[in-house]
Amino acid sequence: MMLSKIKAGALVVALGFAVTTSAQQKLTSYVNPLIGTAKMGHTFPGATVPFGMVQLSPDTDTLQYLDKGRYNPNMYKYCAGYQHTDKTIVGFSHTHFSGTGHSDLGDFLVMPTVGALKLNPGVASVPRSGYRSAFSHETEKASPGYYSVVLDDYKVKAELTATERVGFHQYTFPETTDAHIILDMVHGIYNYPEKNVWTFVRIENDTLITGYRQTLGWARTRTVYFAITFSKPIKSYGSVNEKQEMYGGFWRKFNQKENFPDLAGRQLKLYFNFDTKANEKVKMKFALSGVSSAGALLNLRTEIPHWNFEQTVAEASAKWEKELSRIKIDANEETKQNFYTAMYHAFIAPNTFMDVDGQYRGLDQNNHKAEGFTNYTTFSLWDTYRALHPLYNLVQQKRNSDMVKSMMAHYNESALHMLPIWSHYANDNWCMSGYHSAAVLADAIVKGVTDVDANAALNACITTARRSNYEGIGEYIKYGYIPSEKSGVSISNTLEYAYDDWAIAQLAKKVDRMDIYEEFIKRSANYKNVFDKDGFVKRKDANGNFLPNADLLSTHGQGLIEGNSWNYSFFVPHNPTDLITLMGGTKKFLANMDSLFTMYLPDKYFAETEDITREGIIGTYVHGNEPAHHVAYLYNFAGKPWKTQQLIRRILANQYKPTVDGLGGNDDCGQMSAWYIFSSLGFYPVAPGSDEYEIGSPIVNNAVFNLENGKQLKIAVQNQSEKNMYVKSVLINGKAMTGTAIKHADLMNGGEVVFVMTNKHGK
């Protein structure tokens, strides 16, 4: 389903006159939260606010992570809990990742029902086999900060909104004496029977419930506390514990299944009963905390002290309008929908991870207080260091500075003394390659975005990069590459460590610690050690020999992760000039680049790769996986910027569409979206840690950045059209730019950047 909206522009055309509508229409009206909810996008359509802790969204099935003792491949499409092709909803849970290729979360599923009580969700293939309900996309509405749908089996209208730490539910019931609200503490995303370590629920009174859930999943030790309050008293309530403990003590003296207020177990499910009049609205506020149930209650009472649902919806929408207004564009309708949906996705995560009083749960599983900064979690750094954090360095500087401080807090609380690799909820799940928090810290400090202690940040980067027992770092330091017999991702890690080492060197240079600079700039050249004489990266053993029979098109068994050699051989973003030499010179490099984007990749090379489909591939270039996100811009370094411009237009058109299946790959916590935002504006950060952006081909007519320093940056695009994809010249405050790079300072100083476009390219 597409959100059905009559745009103001369409309306005035129908009336027979034309006016400029961009200033009249709220930017939130261009956002479609359903984009990317089918196939590979892995986004969710529910209610959240910018960088909020709560992501209150429908889950459409309850598949288990394991099927007959093995990984269930059907689970993959439920990374965000929702699939647009499903016909039923099992309920609304409060935590979701946006766009990831692995998952966790799905905490505290809530489902309103009517009639006979059911405490199992049932299966989609058997209607009414459980508490799930059929629904239609015709009654489904989603906009920033709001979601609603009619649950057809119960004739209940469900509406959701949120603040940073509180989910606000509003359920419109029919007249009945059998209205129920189910709280399923067993439900989760990427779930399995042992995922719940423990759950606890306390019925404080007839409208207030508190408790917590501890899980063992992607995050090894994760505890989420909650506080719930209802708008009307509970008539009665009950519970089941689907896994009885071997030792139950003397709690058997009580009947714990009905109206018992002190509940604990591994597999708790609760229900709350109400009598309702026709069209009566039963409201529920559901607050989260990583610290305590008292913290959750404080969050609840502070953020929504009233019962005005519409007011909370309006406030959520206003928060999104404020964030989206950081960049205002003029463009065609499809570009506006893509752009502002991308902005929306880019501002969902990282997530606030502290209570309103600044308390948060640290990596040491103790409680801490964030002094002078907001603590964040959900750092999908293998993805987001590339473009998302550089985007924040332009338009979310205060938040990115706080994210850097959150990473430093993570480091200080780590028993391993490491910066985050992939962190969420006071844990590190250690997912993917590299130590890319170093690149995020370096980029923010080099660009002057953060007031974090730069020497302390550098020390954290050094300690992380010298952690010899972490994923081949010891071998990397010893050999200058990771031998294939030591790691299944030996090439990926070697290349990504080398880039991160370059970023550390830039930070060291910034603070004039030249001994560290020399150490890490030398390490940053280690990429050379995995390039064979034909100019492609290949596995190498500890004796220095390249392994025979390399398959340059395969992602399996080749020492690579989420990319084949054709993609990863271009991963030297910090030294493209040397990369050209390694590939045999400019002519050979250009031939390889052309082949990357034009060759045919046979189906067998992604038949068993769950995160890639034919739609996400251009030649053998995989836009849906991040290692090659910078590659289209490398033509700039080989004297053919017009080819970059041509490709950028093609990728923008092919990989991003305003439809439910409109993303060519996982959005990955906003990285795919950040690529779109930068590229549609005409420039991109090829090597974060540098203060330069490479130019591409803007598709907007103009844009205005409202910068946090109080200045405005204007992007004007002359002669903009689909055919005029080539950049004839670029003027920065009236001065012609030389080369293909724009300096960060030139953007932050405000003023105007003018792209003059043409339909003719250079030779």
Side-chain angles (χ1 to χ4, degrees):
M1 182 198 86
M2 283 293 297
L3 291 184
S4 56
K5 296 177 182 175
I6 299 177
K7 297 290 186 185
L11 180 60
V12 296
V13 170
L15 292 174
F17 58 88
V19 297
T20 301
T21 62
S22 58
Q24 302 171 358
Q25 194 161 0
K26 286 188 174 182
L27 303 180
T28 48
S29 69
Y30 293 106
V31 175
N32 182 351
L34 287 164
I35 289 177
T37 57
K39 285 193 176 180
M40 295 299 171
H42 289 180
T43 62
F44 63 83
T48 190
V49 296
F51 306 98
M53 184 186 296
V54 168
Q55 306 86 35
L56 179 52
S57 189
D59 294 337
T60 56
D61 217 333
T62 57
L63 299 186
Q64 292 290 301
Y65 182 73
L66 296 177
D67 180 22
K68 298 178 181 178
R70 303 185 66 180
Y71 168 67
N72 179 3
N74 292 321
M75 185 70 254
Y76 181 74
K77 64 182 181 179
Y78 291 98
C79 286
Y82 178 99
Q83 270 293 308
H84 190 266
T85 53
D86 286 346
K87 305 299 184 184
T88 63
I89 285 174
V90 297
F92 309 98
S93 65
H94 290 78
T95 58
H96 296 82
F97 287 131
S98 179
T100 56
H102 195 77
S103 202
D104 205 347
L105 312 182
D107 297 293
F108 310 126
L109 185 88
V110 170
M111 184 64 173
T113 68
V114 172
L117 180 67
K118 301 172 185 177
L119 293 179
N120 189 292
V123 293
S125 59
V126 183
R128 302 184 182 180
S129 58
Y131 60 65
R132 72 174 66 223
S133 173
F135 77 106
S136 168
H137 294 305
E138 294 301 314
T139 65
E140 188 178 42
K141 296 180 181 178
S143 61
Y146 176 79
Y147 176 88
S148 72
V149 69
V150 173
L151 301 173
D152 292 336
D153 287 339
Y154 304 118
K155 304 299 186 289
V156 172
K157 182 179 181 179
E159 296 177 273
L160 314 174
T161 189
T163 60
E164 281 75 12
R165 301 165 180 86
V166 185
F168 199 166
H169 306 239
Q170 178 169 273
Y171 299 122
T172 304
F173 281 93
E175 182 175 3
T176 181
T177 58
D178 284 316
H180 319 288
I181 292 180
I182 294 167
L183 172 60
D184 189 337
M185 303 275 283
V186 179
H187 173 84
I189 298 173
Y190 273 48
N191 218 15
Y192 58 96
E194 294 79 24
K195 186 170 183 178
N196 272 8
V197 176
W198 200 247
T199 57
F200 170 76
V201 179
R202 177 183 169 95
I203 314 300
E204 306 283 356
N205 56 48
D206 61 0
T207 60
L208 179 64
I209 299 96
T210 60
Y212 69 82
R213 179 189 193 218
Q214 185 179 358
T215 59
L216 167 61
W218 206 11
R220 185 180 64 180
T221 306
R222 178 174 169 272
T223 306
V224 192
Y225 298 87
F226 69 86
I228 306 170
T229 185
F230 291 103
S231 61
K232 67 179 295 182
I234 302 162
K235 179 175 69 172
S236 60
Y237 63 92
S239 68
V240 297
N241 183 2
E242 294 185 342
K243 181 176 175 58
Q244 295 300 317
E245 301 307 312
M246 183 175 295
Y247 176 73
F250 294 93
W251 287 92
R252 64 183 180 274
K253 294 179 178 181
F254 298 98
N255 174 12
Q256 297 181 53
K257 294 183 178 180
E258 295 181 2
N259 300 313
F260 189 73
D262 190 359
L263 302 167
R266 294 180 190 270
Q267 305 282 8
L268 282 178
K269 294 180 180 179
L270 291 89
Y271 59 92
F272 306 97
N273 300 324
F274 301 89
D275 294 337
T276 57
K277 300 175 183 177
N279 297 317
E280 182 177 355
K281 292 177 171 59
V282 178
K283 303 177 185 182
M284 177 175 66
K285 295 183 286 190
F286 201 123
L288 303 184
S289 169
V291 174
S292 66
S293 56
L297 188 56
L298 177 64
N299 294 337
L300 189 154
R301 290 171 172 168
T302 302
E303 292 192 348
I304 314 183
H306 54 77
W307 285 104
N308 191 328
F309 183 84
E310 289 71 24
Q311 177 184 331
T312 307
V313 171
E315 290 170 350
S317 179
K319 290 173 183 176
W320 278 113
E321 188 71 22
K322 177 183 176 181
E323 299 304 325
L324 298 177
S325 295
R326 292 175 184 269
I327 307 176
K328 294 184 177 181
I329 68 165
D330 176 49
N332 63 44
E333 292 296 294
E334 180 170 317
T335 297
K336 286 180 181 178
Q337 288 186 56
N338 282 333
F339 186 90
Y340 285 111
T341 302
M343 287 273 283
Y344 171 78
H345 286 149
F347 293 166
I348 289 176
N351 305 117
T352 300
F353 189 60
M354 70 179 197
D355 293 342
V356 292
D357 62 357
Q359 296 286 326
Y360 71 92
R361 180 65 54 89
L363 200 69
D364 56 4
Q365 300 305 308
N366 292 318
N367 294 334
H368 301 263
K369 186 169 185 179
E371 300 287 355
F373 72 101
T374 297
N375 188 60
Y376 289 92
T377 189
T378 316
F379 291 122
S380 182
L381 291 162
W382 184 82
D383 310 289
T384 58
Y385 87 88
R386 304 168 197 267
L388 186 70
H389 286 282
L391 177 67
Y392 296 162
N393 283 336
L394 276 174
V395 298
Q396 293 281 2
Q397 291 192 324
K398 174 60 169 65
R399 289 190 195 272
N400 205 46
S401 178
D402 285 356
M403 290 171 194
V404 166
K405 293 173 182 177
S406 300
M407 292 179 195
M408 289 298 296
H410 178 113
Y411 169 80
N412 290 326
E413 295 153 9
S414 167
L416 295 170
H417 305 296
M418 290 184 70
L419 287 163
I421 303 297
W422 208 124
S423 70
H424 75 280
Y425 274 82
N427 280 259
D428 203 318
N429 61 44
W430 307 105
C431 187
M432 304 307 292
S433 297
Y435 30 86
H436 294 309
S437 49
V440 175
L441 267 61
D443 197 47
I445 293 169
V446 166
K447 290 173 178 172
V449 170
T450 180
D451 60 352
V452 71
D453 185 324
N455 275 291
L458 177 58
N459 290 338
C461 292
I462 295 166
T463 303
T464 301
R466 289 176 178 170
R467 169 57 69 175
S468 61
N469 64 342
Y470 177 73
E471 205 173 27
I473 289 179
E475 288 80 11
Y476 170 81
I477 294 172
K478 177 180 178 180
Y479 295 98
Y481 64 96
I482 301 174
S484 61
E485 59 264 43
K486 301 293 185 180
S487 171
V489 289
S490 58
I491 301 173
S492 296
N493 279 3
T494 297
L495 293 171
E496 297 194 47
Y497 290 164
Y499 164 75
D500 289 331
D501 289 342
W502 173 84
I504 293 170
Q506 306 315 300
L507 176 52
K509 188 176 182 180
K510 178 77 172 180
V511 297
D512 197 29
R513 289 172 61 177
M514 299 310 293
D515 57 331
I516 300 299
Y517 172 81
E518 294 297 338
E519 175 188 348
F520 281 89
I521 203 67
K522 181 180 179 181
R523 282 174 53 157
S524 76
N526 282 342
Y527 62 85
K528 297 179 182 181
N529 298 326
V530 292
F531 274 86
D532 202 351
K533 58 186 177 182
D534 62 357
F536 289 92
V537 293
K538 297 174 186 174
R539 291 175 296 161
K540 198 175 190 179
D541 65 23
N543 294 320
N545 302 310
F546 286 102
L547 272 61
N549 304 318
D551 189 339
L552 302 183
L553 295 177
S554 179
T555 61
H556 300 291
Q558 299 296 315
L560 298 163
I561 188 168
E562 295 198 13
N564 60 21
S565 180
W566 267 98
N567 281 264
Y568 258 109
S569 292
F570 293 97
F571 189 79
V572 189
H574 55 294
N575 200 343
T577 302
D578 191 50
L579 174 61
I580 293 170
T581 300
L582 282 171
M583 284 196 169
T586 301
K587 185 176 180 180
K588 183 64 183 301
F589 174 82
L590 287 171
N592 286 348
M593 284 281 286
D594 291 346
S595 295
L596 175 71
F597 291 100
T598 57
M599 73 169 64
Y600 178 78
L601 185 66
D603 290 351
K604 69 177 183 178
Y605 286 110
F606 55 90
E608 297 180 1
T609 303
E610 61 187 357
D611 57 345
I612 292 299
T613 62
R614 174 67 64 190
E615 296 90 338
I617 299 173
I618 299 175
T620 191
Y621 166 78
V622 182
H623 189 69
N625 275 335
E626 280 70 13
H629 267 194
H630 67 291
V631 172
Y633 288 88
L634 295 185
Y635 280 115
N636 285 1
F637 297 89
K640 299 289 184 182
W642 64 269
K643 288 197 170 187
T644 284
Q645 293 151 25
Q646 196 175 64
L647 265 173
I648 295 305
R649 289 290 183 109
R650 183 180 177 190
I651 296 168
L652 286 167
N654 288 356
Q655 299 297 299
Y656 301 87
K657 301 179 187 299
T659 59
V660 295
D661 59 351
L663 293 178
N666 305 150
D667 194 59
D668 284 319
C669 289
Q671 168 59 26
M672 282 275 286
S673 291
W675 192 97
Y676 183 93
I677 294 165
F678 270 120
S679 296
S680 66
L681 293 167
F683 55 97
Y684 186 81
V686 166
S690 163
D691 66 346
E692 293 184 337
Y693 305 85
E694 287 295 319
I695 65 166
S697 178
I699 61 171
V700 301
N701 298 327
N702 59 63
V704 177
F705 289 68
N706 295 305
L707 303 173
E708 288 186 14
N709 60 10
K711 298 180 180 180
Q712 275 196 343
L713 168 67
K714 298 179 181 179
I715 306 290
V717 185
Q718 296 181 2
N719 307 321
Q720 172 65 282
S721 73
E722 187 174 338
K723 292 182 178 180
N724 291 348
M725 67 179 68
Y726 304 108
V727 177
K728 183 177 181 180
S729 62
V730 179
L731 304 174
I732 301 177
N733 292 326
K735 183 178 179 180
M737 188 185 82
T738 58
T740 60
I742 298 175
K743 292 284 188 181
H744 179 76
D746 288 335
L747 301 179
M748 294 309 301
N749 287 335
E752 186 174 52
V753 177
V754 178
F755 288 84
V756 181
M757 309 301 291
T758 179
N759 62 359
K760 297 179 181 179
H761 62 71
K763 299 296 183 181

